[in-house]
Each structure stands twice: as C-alpha cells, then as structure tokens.
C-alpha cells in the first residue's frame, strides 16, 4: 500500500512559467513533508520541507503548500528554469510510532523545463 | 567535508555471490540509512541506524545485513546476491533540523546481479 503518491510520472513546462508538482498521502500520522530533487547518476538532494503545523513554506523560487484536510501537498517552482529539469521526490516522516527519522518516498515526477 | 561517500560506484555480481557496499560520512551524523531505488518505485528504506551499535530494519530488509561499529561507517552486506537485488543503492546520513531528520544522500552504487 503506497502511503505517498505522486500520480504524475512526468511534467513538461516552458522556461519562465510555473511548475506545479503534486503529492498525496494516506497516513494521517505523517507530520513532516520534504521534497528532494534528483539529477541522473547523482543522489537526491534536499530542496524544501514543511511541517504539518504550517500550510505554506517558501524558499526563493520554491514554495510548498500543504492541505492537511485533503492530505495533499504541492511544490511550486516560479519561474521555472532549464536547470530545474530533474526527478522530484515527495517524502513524508512521522507515521505510526512517531518515527520522524524514517522517510517514506513517492515514486517521483520527472520535470522537464524547455528553453 | 566530503559529505556522504559510497563505494563502489558500479558493481556486477553473479547470483549467489556476496559483497559489501561501503558508506561513510564525515558530518558526525548519528542517523544513517540505506535505500534502494528501482524504476518506477521511488526510494525504499532497507535498513537504518540511529547510532553506533544500533540498527533496525526498514521496509525491504530481506537479503541484506548491516552493522554500525562507528559513527562514520554504515556498510550494507548482500549475503547471497539475487537478480531481484539489481538496483541503485543510496546511503544517507541525517541531521536533525526543525521537526525532522534532513537526509543527505551519497551518489549511489549501481548494482547488477546476473
């Protein structure tokens, strides 16, 4: 049973436009959410996170929105740049037993930003 | 500061062979973990450690062993390799920041079992 779902395997946007990557989760015990970015042949790198007590967190061009009632979060990238082309993973921590050091990952969304 | 290092980068094994994937970090992080990434599957947790001498199983531990004798090193052992273990393996170490453990990943080891 997949607890973190990224239903769009890929997304293509034009440079300068907004990229919106979506993530849904099923476990209501998750209390922290993270986005990771991964280039080919490299390990994932941390991008931005949000605690369940907030509904928005912003860091430069990246903003994460959390809708707890819908168990949904999204990552907005504005403006999108060709260097943003990568696989983006949504991850969650918490869950039963309060294991906030164990991350559950979604399957990832491949973002392609076209010049 | 090298961060998280993994060796080897690539490895080909025959079914039944054993090997150890090495992972080291120089950030003095207490928490370390191993993930595998398969096509269309995201990253799945194999084993993790919350400190030297303490390890526990993750989501997909079968066929793998770990030990943590020092804070810096967290090797992953494949006891008898199987084709189902063909994957890319990532080691991560974690810093507690805010309300969660922010994980730093190594570059990965691509393993093929024939």
């Amino acid at each position: 049973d997949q607890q973190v779902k990224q239903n769009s395997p890929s997304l293509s946007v034009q440079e300068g436009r907004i990229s919106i990557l979506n993530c849904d989760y099923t476990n209501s015990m998750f209390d922290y959410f993270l986005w990771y970015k991964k280039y080919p042949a490299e390990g994932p790198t941390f991008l931005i996170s949000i605690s369940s007590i907030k509904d928005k967190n912003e860091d430069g061009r990246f903003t994460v929105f959390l809708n707890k009632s819908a168990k949904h979060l999204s990552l907005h990238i504005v403006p999108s740049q060709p260097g943003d082309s990568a696989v983006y993973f949504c991850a969650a921590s918490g869950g039963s037993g309060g294991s906030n050091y164990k991350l559950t990952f979604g399957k990832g969304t491949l973002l392609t930003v076209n010049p | 500061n090298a961060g998280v290092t993994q060796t080897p980068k690539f490895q080909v094994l025959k079914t039944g062979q054993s090997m150890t994937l090495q992972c080291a970090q120089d950030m003095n992080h207490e928490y370390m973990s191993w993930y595998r990434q398969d096509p269309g599957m995201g990253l799945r947790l194999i084993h993790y450690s919350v400190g030297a001498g303490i390890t526990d199983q993750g989501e997909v531990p079968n066929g793998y062993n770990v030990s943590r004798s020092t804070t810096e090193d967290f090797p992953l052992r494949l006891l008898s390799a199987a084709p189902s273990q063909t994957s890319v393996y990532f080691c991560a170490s974690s810093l507690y920041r805010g309300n969660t453990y922010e994980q730093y990943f190594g570059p990965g080891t691509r393993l093929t079992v024939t």
Side-chain angles (χ1 to χ4, degrees):
Chain A
D1 179 33
Q2 206 182 348
Q3 298 186 70
V4 177
K5 300 177 185 178
Q6 294 178 256
N7 291 320
S8 297
S10 62
L11 174 69
S12 183
V13 299
Q14 285 300 118
E15 181 178 5
R17 305 294 291 269
I18 183 171
S19 295
I20 300 176
L21 296 98
N22 294 304
C23 178
D24 297 293
Y25 62 96
T26 58
N27 190 335
S28 58
M29 296 294 289
F30 286 144
D31 58 9
Y32 213 85
F33 304 90
L34 307 91
W35 285 94
Y36 282 82
K37 175 176 169 179
K38 184 183 180 303
Y39 292 117
E42 295 184 10
T45 56
F46 171 75
L47 190 57
I48 192 169
S49 63
I50 187 166
S51 166
S52 62
I53 62 173
K54 296 187 175 182
D55 55 17
K56 177 183 173 181
N57 188 27
E58 192 172 351
D59 183 1
R61 296 186 298 115
F62 303 92
T63 303
V64 56
F65 295 92
L66 175 62
N67 182 334
K68 282 183 62 179
S69 61
K71 294 191 178 68
H72 176 82
L73 61 153
S74 60
L75 173 68
H76 292 212
I77 307 173
V78 184
S80 301
Q81 300 173 353
D84 295 329
S85 297
V87 176
Y88 289 78
F89 290 101
C90 172
S93 69
S96 60
S99 304
N100 62 352
Y101 45 78
K102 291 168 67 174
L103 291 183
T104 300
F105 284 83
K107 293 184 178 182
T109 297
L110 172 63
L111 173 66
T112 303
V113 181
N114 301 302
Chain B
N1 210 346
V4 179
T5 57
Q6 291 183 238
T7 56
K9 283 190 173 7
F10 301 94
Q11 182 70 49
V12 179
L13 290 178
K14 291 189 187 325
T15 298
Q17 287 184 316
S18 63
M19 79 159 294
T20 299
L21 308 186
Q22 301 292 345
C23 175
Q25 54 97 3
D26 60 359
M27 298 174 282
N28 203 33
H29 290 168
E30 288 297 320
Y31 178 73
M32 296 184 74
S33 52
W34 277 100
Y35 292 86
R36 59 178 288 174
Q37 185 193 11
D38 301 297
M41 292 294 293
L43 285 87
R44 292 183 292 169
L45 181 64
I46 305 171
H47 284 284
Y48 64 95
S49 168
V50 299
I54 307 170
T55 64
D56 205 348
Q57 297 181 350
E59 181 186 355
V60 288
N62 292 340
Y64 308 95
N65 270 1
V66 292
S67 60
R68 184 97 178 270
S69 55
T70 67
T71 299
E72 294 78 20
D73 300 298
F74 190 43
L76 178 72
R77 279 181 288 277
L78 281 72
L79 307 173
S80 176
S84 62
Q85 294 178 303
T86 294
S87 188
V88 181
Y89 291 84
F90 291 101
C91 177
S93 73
S94 300
L95 170 69
Y96 190 74
R97 192 194 296 274
N99 194 35
T100 194
Y101 284 79
E102 192 176 298
Q103 302 205 17
Y104 295 80
F105 286 84
T109 294
R110 184 174 295 273
L111 175 68
T112 302
V113 183
T114 62

